[in-house]
Amino acid sequence: MAERRDAMFRGERINVSENRAVLHVALRAPRDEIIELDGHNVVPDVHAVLDRMAAFADKIRDGSWTGHTGKRIKNVINIGIGGSYLGPEMAYLALRPYTDRAMTFRFISNVDGAAFTEATHDLDPEETLFIVSSKTFTTLETMTNAATARAWCVAKLGSEAAVAKHFVANSTNTAGVEKFGIDTANMFEFWDWVGGRYSMDSAIGLSTMIAIGPENFRAMLDGFHAMDEHFRTAPPEKNLPMLMGLLTVWYNNFFGAQTLAVLPYAEHMARFPAYLQQLQMESNGKHVDLGANHVDYQTGPIIWGEPGTDGQHSFYQLIHQGTKLIPCDFIGFLTPLSPLAGHHDLLMANLFAQAEALAFGKTAAEFAAEGSPPAQTPFRVTEGNRPTNMILADTLDPKTLGALVALYEHSVFTQGAVWDIDSFDQWGVELGKVLANRIIPELKDKDTPKLSHDSSTNALIERYRQHKG
């Protein structure tokens, strides 16, 4: 595992199925660090983009960048999907106390038209900036929403020239960005050695930088880098990502635990479990090893969770007394971000109590000693011995968030190394995309030649076309 880790930091092409390097660690490396890919130091490239992002973010935040009609930008909408959406939204919500509250930030990913309609219904296009995040600038969902945003903007502002003042892009497709009408001077680059689910600290984080400011964004990068260095240098017995990853493998493969609950006791971390779902399940949901051999063991667990104390009154019953073993990652913060300190005492008391209850439970003898009715006792017993990790940080600030995300990134890496799988490709999502592109024209044109899907899919398409008339 250490050898594979070191190969990643050296820029070797450890994403074997796509023959790509995996260098998200370069996104948060200091300026003077050297991380090479094919003999080229990529760190200066990263900082060149970060500097351009910072200059642009400052212009939006201080009002020197204005829209087509000269009005100040007050609303920022990030259009992306997958890592181009989950990371920015999660970070914005997690760091909400550090954001410019005079601005509105929203995130559109779903191709369901309701996502766009709800995100824009109360906004003034004269004051709205769209950030279109797509590496190829061809992603179906993202470009559909971007085209709708473009039409909305032009219709409201009355000029195609408005696009250049209300749209910027995170992409590598210069021609596609230019054709869309975005000034390529406002295109922020990232690279094919950055996977989408590892990209929130790249140009994909532009909305985050505008929201919290370049200084706080750099603090977040410092948190990422500190965990990178810990993962790279700490001995295994003191290496947090390694230990977390090995524990996940231990309970997944030797105790049959099919899921992992991530339970942040912080309202601002509400989207963190959803972010980790992509990070973990897209990375390690694999059925063949690096040699293309079908594995005969379980790989990635199912990730889920909600912030406490909401979950306690929802699904914790199953964790405490159900028949499934569910390891839990608890995440708490010593310092509240709300002035309501009494609330924080109650929150933390619940956090510590849940970990204690899951560890030790309560026996029939203990209930009997308390005078519990014998007929009721079997229903009240909790066995305990349920595994938990407790992650306790000082406060939820940009640096801590960066460290937390990197902690899970490297835990995922550790799991993949043990399972001998490629944690950095995602071929499983491609088939659905291909089939969707095949079906799209069949839904639009009822005179399409005879459908050639399976009988169930054919029937569903026919039902939809009948409904459209």
Side-chain angles (χ1 to χ4, degrees):
M1 180 173 60
E3 180 180 343
R4 185 164 169 80
R5 174 200 61 192
D6 296 341
M8 176 178 71
F9 278 87
R10 287 194 301 267
E12 295 183 17
R13 298 177 186 277
I14 64 169
N15 179 352
V16 295
S17 78
E18 297 178 296
N19 191 31
R20 289 178 178 172
V22 177
L23 279 179
H24 47 276
V25 294
L27 298 173
R28 51 267 193 153
R31 289 180 187 274
D32 58 354
E33 192 158 316
I34 298 174
I35 300 179
E36 293 187 339
L37 173 62
D38 298 333
H40 172 70
N41 182 15
V42 302
V43 176
D45 301 337
V46 169
H47 280 276
V49 174
L50 287 172
D51 290 344
R52 291 181 56 238
M53 290 167 60
F56 180 78
D58 282 337
K59 289 179 182 178
I60 297 294
R61 288 169 62 85
D62 66 20
S64 58
W65 175 285
T66 59
H68 179 65
T69 63
K71 284 190 174 183
R72 181 171 182 162
I73 297 296
K74 295 181 179 178
N75 315 306
V76 176
I77 298 181
N78 183 89
I79 299 177
I81 199 162
S84 300
Y85 154 71
L86 285 165
E89 185 193 46
M90 179 277 291
Y92 170 70
L93 294 175
L95 300 176
R96 190 80 187 275
Y98 303 88
T99 64
D100 183 346
R101 297 296 185 127
M103 299 185 69
T104 296
F105 291 83
R106 292 180 182 165
F107 303 85
I108 299 174
S109 64
N110 200 326
V111 76
D112 184 342
F116 181 87
T117 302
E118 291 299 327
T120 59
H121 80 281
D122 59 344
L123 301 185
D124 182 351
E126 294 180 89
E127 302 172 337
T128 302
L129 175 75
F130 291 94
I131 301 174
V132 183
S133 298
S134 172
K135 182 182 291 186
T136 62
F137 230 63
T138 59
T139 307
L140 174 66
E141 298 92 338
T142 299
M143 299 316 299
T144 298
N145 282 321
T148 301
R150 189 185 192 283
W152 178 80
C153 187
V154 171
K156 299 282 187 178
L157 299 180
S159 173
E160 293 282 340
V163 174
K165 296 295 289 182
H166 292 269
F167 285 81
V168 298
N170 300 320
S171 183
T172 58
N173 182 355
T174 303
V177 169
E178 191 171 29
K179 182 178 179 181
F180 188 89
I182 297 174
D183 186 342
T184 53
N186 301 318
M187 184 186 89
F188 301 92
E189 184 184 7
F190 54 111
W191 305 269
D192 67 3
W193 41 260
V194 181
R197 56 192 176 275
Y198 296 90
S199 67
M200 63 171 280
D201 46 344
S202 70
I204 293 299
L206 180 60
S207 63
T208 309
M209 184 183 282
I210 296 171
I212 65 176
E215 185 176 346
N216 279 324
F217 193 87
R218 291 188 182 100
M220 185 178 74
L221 297 181
D222 289 343
F224 272 102
H225 181 66
M227 186 58 69
D228 292 343
E229 286 300 289
H230 171 77
F231 178 56
R232 188 178 67 84
T233 62
E237 67 274 12
K238 295 182 179 180
N239 195 303
L240 292 180
M242 283 190 184
L243 292 172
M244 282 186 64
L246 291 172
L247 282 169
T248 299
V249 172
W250 176 249
Y251 288 113
N252 182 80
N253 293 91
F254 296 94
F255 288 83
Q258 296 186 342
T259 79
L260 170 65
V262 179
L263 309 168
Y265 275 63
E267 184 65 21
H268 291 103
M269 296 286 283
R271 291 292 284 166
F272 194 61
Y275 174 78
L276 293 184
Q277 283 177 341
Q278 186 198 17
L279 176 64
Q280 297 233 26
M281 295 166 72
E282 195 168 84
S283 294
N284 288 340
K286 307 296 168 60
H287 69 274
V288 296
D289 64 19
L290 291 171
N293 306 300
H294 202 285
V295 300
D296 58 359
Y297 46 84
Q298 290 291 308
T299 57
I302 299 163
I303 308 299
W304 60 285
E306 289 286 339
T309 57
D310 297 352
Q312 292 176 199
H313 298 271
S314 174
F315 51 77
Y316 275 45
Q317 169 62 36
L318 187 145
I319 298 176
H320 282 286
Q321 288 189 312
T323 57
K324 294 175 172 56
L325 179 69
I326 302 175
C328 301
D329 283 357
F330 287 109
I331 304 171
F333 301 92
L334 298 174
T335 304
L337 295 179
S338 163
L340 302 176
H343 284 240
H344 199 65
D345 289 344
L346 297 176
L347 179 71
M348 299 303 285
N350 275 275
L351 169 60
F352 300 149
Q354 290 298 324
E356 182 180 15
L358 286 167
F360 300 104
K362 195 166 183 178
T363 65
E366 289 173 307
F367 280 112
E370 293 176 354
S372 173
Q376 194 182 72
T377 296
F379 299 96
R380 301 183 67 182
V381 167
T382 53
E383 296 176 349
N385 199 29
R386 306 296 170 101
T388 63
N389 290 322
M390 177 67 73
I391 302 170
L392 198 58
D394 288 340
T395 189
L396 177 52
D397 58 18
K399 186 172 184 178
T400 300
L401 180 65
L404 268 175
V405 174
L407 170 65
Y408 277 94
E409 285 179 349
H410 298 316
S411 170
V412 167
F413 179 96
T414 299
Q415 296 163 42
V418 174
W419 289 321
D420 194 34
I421 58 177
D422 190 337
S423 298
F424 302 102
D425 61 11
Q426 56 280 334
W427 295 106
V429 304
E430 297 300 320
L431 177 59
K433 292 180 182 180
V434 171
L435 293 176
N437 283 325
R438 177 182 167 192
I439 291 171
I440 288 168
E442 296 174 340
L443 298 183
K444 293 181 180 293
D445 183 4
K446 64 182 179 64
D447 297 321
T448 298
K450 184 179 179 180
L451 299 173
S452 57
H453 303 277
D454 61 277
S455 59
S456 174
T457 304
N458 287 343
L460 292 168
I461 293 172
E462 291 288 6
R463 175 71 180 90
Y464 184 79
R465 295 202 302 198
Q466 290 170 11
H467 179 74
K468 287 184 70 175

